[in-house]
Every structure is written in structure tokens, then in C-alpha cells.
Amino acid sequence: VTTVVTGIGRLVTHTARGELPGAWLVMDRGHVVEVGTGSAPAADRRIDVAGRCVVPGFVDSHTHLVFAGDRAAEFAARMAGAPYAAGGINTTIAATRAASNAELRTLAAARREEARRAGITTIEVKSGYGATVVDEARLVGLAAELTPDATFLGAHVVPAGVDADAYVELVCTDMLAAAAPLARWIDAFCEVGAFDADQCRAVLTAGRDAGLGMRLHANQLGPGPGVQLAVELGCASADHCTYLADDDVEALAAGPTVATFLPATDFSTRQPYPDARRVIDAGATVALATNCNPGSSYTTSMSFVIALAVRDLHMTAEEALRAATLGGGRSLQRDDVGWLGPGSRADLVVIDAPGYEHLVYRPGVPLIHDVIIGGAVDGHDTP
Ligand SMILES: [Zn+2]
């Protein structure tokens, strides 16, 4: 069954064809088979988007969707002047451990649906609020129900009352053995108050040896060794990158590791924003992600992230859209998403505006009109 999307006022392809005015796009069996301008070819089904702008679906390469509990009070205290520290994660760990699989599945599925409505067509989901062998295994399993890009984040925080070195040893052995068969990625939180460089190196290399791809939370709350470690180990992505030294920027520019910015986090923690301009101008590949989590960034809105990236990270709207789509795809080492053309997945977002710049120009306005994932409109209709 072929479907043609017609009446596209502006089609952003992220291919050599660039942006096409007055365009159409044909989908078949979950993939794009043809794009063009002028009169549209015949197809079994026709969707007219009436002059709206169509962009590749958003690729959210960093989320923590599987959790229970709520930290609105902590957020309010922070807005009233309390600092953000990594230890707040223990609050969510307690609530998550106490929740059943059925409860966690319902909560995570609702958040995934919220993200879909926000235009996120590809998503990465981490564990990390279990911090025991049994709990991390079940959280990775629940993440894997939502996405092929499930990430084992046993090294999220040292649980209260546990020796750090003993915990790292557990993460690298029994916890990894239980989680690895269900995960595609391994991640760690390299930060004062979480794990140091040697501990993160031990965790990531153990994951790599178990067949997982590597990613790292790096340089979020202050300068540190995380970005250098991520580049040295060949991580797919170094995430946050809020505090970067010259050496960090040079390392990101020289290697394949994607610099992923999570500006909704800096917004929600009242941290400074990263100097994305310096990273982009140095030639590094950049991505934008929501970091949806209950402590430091409880949003699924990639439109909001794009607006922050333009206003506060001084990216152009074009750069921000590219980072939220193609950049996320690079961060997840997926070459079938983040662009639209023959062979790409038929993942697209119809924006209720003549151009995607309106996502920035009209902040907070729900402009995501339709979301097509694998050729299925709004998740209901599987051609
Ligand atoms: Zn995170």
C-alpha cells in the first residue's frame, strides 16, 4: 500500500536536495520511496497537508522515561534557590524500586506517547533508577519494550549507603550480565557526586566487551574529564557538554563522538548554557535531546529544546532542527532516521506553520500537527 503526502509547503530532506518547496513524498512499507515537486504521482492513499511544513521526525537520543514518583517539590525548592546535585536521583530510585513492572510499564508508555505527540519518532531510553541487579534488569527490559535503543545506565548514581568501588564492581559484573542481553548501549554519569573517570572507564569498557555501544553523561555540572574520556574510548556520544575547556572542544572536533546538548536541563537547573557555537564552529557533530527525566528536565518537547537551542545556545533554526533529527541519528548510529529521501524511514512531522522556524518564533505553542512513524499516521493507521 503506497501513501503519497501532498501539499507540502516546505519539505526539509537533510539530503543533497536540501529543502523543497511545493513538494510531495511517497511512502511504502514504512520507508520513503520517492520525493519530488510539482504534480504528485498516484498512490493507494493520499494525505494532503495543505501547505504545511514537513520535517524529518525528531530523534531524541537521551531520555530516562522509566521511573516512578515525582520531584515537583525538589524543582520548586531549586527555583527558590536550592542548588541541583546528583544525589536527588536517590529519591527516584526509591519510588521506582517500589513500583511494579505493570505500574512502570504504564508510566513509561504514557511518556513515550507524550513524546510521540511532540514529534519524537525515534527515542533512546535509559535504565538507571534501579541500581540493583534485579531492578536494573527489569528497567532495561521495560526500556527495550519501547525502543531498540535501550541503554543500561547502572552507573547513574552510587545508591545511598553503598560503597562506591563495590558498586562499580557490581555494575561491571552481575548487573551488566543481567542487563546486556536486553540493551544496545551502556552509559555512565561522569560527575562529582556520581562516578569519576576511572570508574566510568571501567563501566564503559566492561559494557563494550559485552557487545554494547558506549555513551557518557559528561561535563554537566562543572568542568571534568568526561568529554575527554568519551572521545578517547570512542563513545557514540558525549551528553550535556555544558562546561567545556579548549581541549574538550578540540577533542570533539577531531573525533567521531557526537556532542549532545540537553538545554532543557540547563533551563530546569538554572545552569549556564553550553557554548554550542564554539563546538559547531570547531567542526564537531552536534545533537539535541530532551533528557526527559523527573529530576532535571521533565519535558518531552523537542520544540522547546529547539527554541532554547536557538535563543540561548545561539544555534540557527536550521542547525537546531538538524541537531534534533540528523544529529540524534548520528548519536544513535542510525543512518535510516533524521532525513527524508528514498531509503529513509517514513518518520515525519507535519508542522502547523509555513516553516519550522515557527517552533522558535512561537515558543510554547503546540505546532506539531501530525506525526507519521514508519508510514503510520498518528500511530493508529498501519498501511
Ligand atoms: Zn541523562
Side-chain angles (χ1 to χ4, degrees):
V1 178
T2 56
T3 303
V4 62
V5 182
T6 64
I8 304 173
R10 278 169 71 187
L11 175 65
V12 175
T13 66
H14 289 156
T15 70
R17 298 190 69 179
E19 211 176 287
L20 303 175
W24 47 262
L25 176 151
V26 180
M27 313 183 286
D28 187 19
R29 276 163 288 185
H31 288 79
V32 174
V33 292
E34 203 180 351
V35 301
T37 57
S39 59
D44 301 315
R45 194 176 65 158
R46 192 178 185 94
I47 300 170
D48 186 348
V49 299
R52 294 184 177 90
C53 177
V54 171
V55 302
F58 300 137
V59 179
D60 192 353
S61 61
H62 186 136
T63 82
H64 306 250
L65 292 191
V66 189
F67 65 87
D70 172 292
R71 283 158 66 187
E74 178 190 317
F75 179 80
R78 194 160 66 238
M79 290 302 106
Y84 178 73
I89 294 167
N90 276 309
T91 312
T92 301
I93 288 177
T96 303
R97 283 178 181 168
S100 70
N101 281 352
E103 287 164 339
L104 290 171
R105 182 177 289 114
T106 300
L107 290 166
R111 294 176 193 125
R112 176 64 190 100
E113 171 57 17
E114 182 182 284
R116 187 197 63 76
R117 288 195 306 269
I120 291 166
T121 53
T122 297
I123 199 164
E124 180 264 14
V125 179
K126 302 176 196 298
S127 71
Y129 297 117
T132 65
V133 173
V134 168
D135 287 305
E136 282 298 305
R138 71 190 184 109
L139 298 190
V140 172
L142 290 163
E145 292 178 12
L146 297 173
T147 176
D149 286 296
T151 298
F152 168 48
L153 178 59
H156 197 187
V157 71
V158 180
V162 176
D163 173 74
D165 288 328
Y167 183 69
V168 170
E169 178 65 18
L170 181 68
V171 170
C172 293
T173 54
D174 292 359
M175 203 183 284
L176 174 63
L182 306 164
R184 180 173 177 222
W185 300 100
I186 188 160
D187 194 347
F189 188 7
C190 190
E191 200 71 51
V192 174
F195 299 90
D196 67 22
D198 287 342
Q199 292 167 329
C200 290
R201 184 194 308 274
V203 168
L204 293 183
T205 55
R208 179 191 64 197
D209 294 346
L212 303 179
M214 296 177 286
R215 8 192 9 95
L216 187 64
H217 286 66
N219 301 49
Q220 176 189 354
L221 302 175
V227 166
Q228 297 283 348
L229 178 66
V231 173
E232 177 205 319
L233 292 176
C235 288
S237 186
D239 293 29
H240 286 289
C241 296
T242 301
Y243 290 87
L244 296 179
D246 290 346
D247 286 359
D248 299 325
V249 175
E250 284 166 25
L252 288 166
T257 301
V258 174
T260 300
F261 301 118
L262 311 169
T265 315
D266 308 308
F267 174 90
S268 298
T269 55
R270 281 215 179 113
Q271 290 275 305
Y273 289 100
D275 190 348
R277 212 44 285 145
R278 193 159 59 121
V279 178
I280 293 169
D281 293 344
T285 302
V286 300
L288 287 167
T290 66
N291 188 24
C292 181
N293 81 84
S296 65
S297 183
Y298 198 7
T299 183
T300 52
S301 176
M302 192 67 90
S303 299
F304 175 59
V305 170
I306 289 171
L308 289 177
V310 173
R311 185 192 182 276
D312 292 315
L313 277 61
H314 302 276
M315 294 167 72
T316 65
E318 197 281 332
E319 287 170 336
L321 178 68
R322 185 175 289 266
T325 53
L326 207 55
R330 290 282 294 278
S331 156
L332 294 175
Q333 299 185 339
R334 293 273 303 266
D335 58 13
D336 57 340
V337 297
W339 59 286
L340 293 172
S344 76
R345 272 180 59 90
D347 293 348
L348 40 127
V349 170
V350 181
I351 297 171
D352 195 9
Y356 60 84
E357 297 83 356
H358 281 236
L359 299 175
V360 184
Y361 172 49
R362 308 194 65 214
V365 178
L367 293 177
I368 306 303
H369 185 78
D370 266 316
V371 182
I372 297 175
I373 301 187
V377 181
D378 276 339
H380 302 301
D381 188 4
T382 306

